[in-house]
Amino acid sequence: MLTITISILILLLVSTISKAQPPPPEWQKDINDNNLLYSNRQTFTEGLLPPIGNGFISGDGGVLLKDGCFKPSGLADDPYWYFSGCGRVNIAGVFNNGEGTNDIIPHRASIPNPHSIYIKNANINLGTALDIKHNFFYNKSTVTCLNDKTLKVNVTLTQYMHRLYHQLQVLQFEMDDTHINDNNNINCQIELQPVQYETYEYDFIVNNSISSTTAKHLTVKLMEEPPANSTMKPVLPTAIAQVFDQVPTVITLSNNNNNNNDNNNNNNVNTFLAVYKTTIEKTKDVLDTNKILEKAKKELEFFSTIPSDKLKEQHIDAWDKMFQSGIDIQGNATVAKTVNSSLSYILSAIREDQPFGLSPGGLARGDYNG
């Protein structure tokens, strides 16, 4: 019950609509079909962000631009800000038993999200949306190009956790087709601003001897201990590898796609990937702490060979298979959105090939909560 309640709260907050700004036309059909939750909020300075996940990794779509992730109650010593989830990625089965600032509260050991980024030179927000059928987060905006102040283009930022490849996180920037078909040669520089809410050292010991800016080898600070009279053996600390593409502060989107052989970056689309591996995930390969980082690097190289449109197509197909037995509700859009968003939230927190236990708060939230 708590999972459903949380999903309703989060997703209905995102779907608040005012009459001032209509949604982008290409979103309207999915909104009418109750598959897309839309908001025209100009900024996110407080409240909850919509979670995106694939049952193994989960994080929030978008960023909060002020301190809403830090102290939602306004109290300097409030320990529960950490559990809001923004700016971090949670991994199934990875917990920290009370180390860090919240030394008496066991919680999910969360990793800084390399895709917590917003477009700095966006001057008009055209809409933010959560695709509850395919678990995409969208933010569409009009951008004044950094290299030409007279030029404005529409850019969509897309985030998702790949449903087919459980270890893969995807971030994409795409310029509208209306600009691609333009006869003029458009080259628009987009300025990006990363947002990091917490350090790796909050929950993890960083192996600095083999880690780098874009490749982290981490060990959870403190695992759960068996009860005093239990015959269970203590669990070895979980090791995690996070490897990701470095997102530059400036990217260029163009309507000229000639002579581009980069699978993940057509001129009008820039795609950035991140891979997560753990020593406790279910896999055919034995992942020990000494090999996990190299394994993650090789997988990032492999995923980089797959065209970005193919990655998206595979993700959509995997979600479509799960929603074949969905719930169809006619006559009440609010009820339909509530039920479908709750189902989407639950499915985004579980998967058959990674059968980890799930707290009532779901994979997206940071605490045990039950």
Side-chain angles (χ1 to χ4, degrees):
M1 178 64 70
L2 182 56
T3 298
I4 295 177
T5 302
I6 289 176
S7 65
I8 293 172
L9 171 64
I10 294 169
L11 296 172
L12 289 184
L13 278 172
V14 174
S15 62
T16 304
I17 302 176
S18 71
K19 298 179 180 180
Q21 175 70 49
E26 66 272 22
W27 293 359
Q28 193 62 61
K29 183 180 185 303
D30 284 331
I31 293 173
N32 294 341
D33 292 340
N34 301 313
N35 291 326
L36 196 74
L37 302 182
Y38 161 74
S39 170
N40 59 12
R41 287 176 62 177
Q42 292 301 301
T43 60
F44 286 84
T45 58
E46 59 183 9
L48 297 175
L49 294 169
I52 50 175
N54 64 10
F56 182 69
I57 52 177
S58 181
D60 283 339
V63 297
L64 294 181
L65 300 186
K66 289 189 178 179
D67 64 350
C69 282
F70 295 101
K71 303 165 189 174
S73 70
L75 299 177
D77 59 350
D78 178 13
Y80 291 95
W81 68 264
Y82 183 80
F83 303 142
S84 60
C86 44
R88 289 171 290 275
V89 173
N90 292 335
I91 306 177
V94 180
F95 286 91
N96 185 5
N97 194 35
E99 281 288 310
T101 303
N102 301 322
D103 56 3
I104 62 171
I105 304 175
H107 54 269
R108 293 189 182 276
S110 299
I111 302 176
N113 188 347
H115 294 170
S116 281
I117 290 170
Y118 66 94
I119 299 175
K120 193 172 182 179
N121 56 326
N123 57 322
I124 301 176
N125 181 39
L126 299 176
T128 299
L130 179 68
D131 182 337
I132 59 177
K133 189 175 181 181
H134 300 120
N135 217 241
F136 288 112
F137 172 84
Y138 301 114
N139 181 232
K140 186 168 185 176
S141 55
T142 299
V143 178
T144 300
C145 301
L146 201 62
N147 55 316
D148 184 353
K149 303 299 183 183
T150 66
L151 181 62
K152 294 183 178 181
V153 300
N154 293 338
V155 177
T156 301
L157 178 155
T158 303
Q159 294 173 290
Y160 63 100
M161 309 299 193
H162 205 284
R163 188 72 210 189
L164 180 62
Y165 304 116
H166 70 270
Q167 66 273 54
L168 181 61
Q169 179 184 14
V170 184
L171 170 68
Q172 188 174 82
F173 300 90
E174 182 173 8
M175 190 168 70
D176 262 12
D177 288 345
T178 53
H179 303 298
I180 298 171
N181 296 326
D182 198 306
N183 292 326
N184 296 321
N185 186 25
I186 295 176
N187 291 282
C188 182
Q189 288 185 344
I190 311 298
E191 187 176 10
L192 306 178
Q193 177 65 55
V195 178
Q196 184 169 321
Y197 298 100
E198 193 49 78
T199 65
Y200 287 92
E201 288 77 11
Y202 184 91
D203 278 319
F204 300 96
I205 299 170
V206 182
N207 187 339
N208 290 313
S209 65
I210 58 175
S211 295
S212 66
T213 303
T214 58
K216 301 293 183 180
H217 185 283
L218 312 167
T219 304
V220 172
K221 284 185 175 180
L222 183 65
M223 297 297 290
E224 291 182 291
E225 294 292 331
N229 298 325
S230 174
T231 59
M232 296 172 58
K233 295 181 180 180
V235 181
L236 292 175
T238 303
I240 295 146
Q242 180 199 45
V243 180
F244 54 92
D245 296 325
Q246 181 71 59
V247 181
T249 55
V250 176
I251 61 173
T252 299
L253 298 177
S254 170
N255 65 346
N256 179 6
N257 283 325
N258 296 328
N259 301 318
N260 193 326
N261 297 317
D262 188 341
N263 285 316
N264 275 322
N265 290 304
N266 294 321
N267 287 342
N268 69 301
V269 180
N270 271 206
T271 304
F272 303 93
L273 308 178
V275 167
Y276 300 82
K277 303 294 293 180
T278 78
T279 51
I280 60 171
E281 69 184 87
K282 316 305 180 187
T283 176
K284 295 180 181 178
D285 302 322
V286 177
L287 295 180
D288 62 44
T289 186
N290 297 319
K291 298 179 181 178
I292 191 171
L293 188 60
E294 289 305 314
K295 177 68 174 175
K297 289 179 180 178
K298 288 180 181 178
E299 292 192 0
L300 182 64
E301 290 177 3
F302 166 72
F303 292 131
S304 297
T305 66
I306 303 176
S308 57
D309 56 348
K310 180 65 174 178
L311 283 175
K312 184 175 285 189
E313 179 184 324
Q314 292 172 323
H315 173 79
I316 291 173
D317 288 346
W319 269 99
D320 282 343
K321 289 178 181 178
M322 289 199 304
F323 262 103
Q324 285 178 349
S325 57
I327 302 171
D328 187 22
I329 298 175
Q330 301 292 331
N332 191 316
T334 299
V335 173
K337 289 178 182 179
T338 301
V339 171
N340 289 333
S341 63
S342 296
L343 178 60
S344 176
Y345 182 71
I346 294 170
L347 291 175
S348 72
I350 57 175
R351 57 185 301 125
E352 184 179 10
D353 59 355
Q354 299 294 329
F356 289 95
L358 185 64
S359 64
L363 182 58
R365 305 274 68 85
D367 56 345
Y368 287 103
N369 215 5

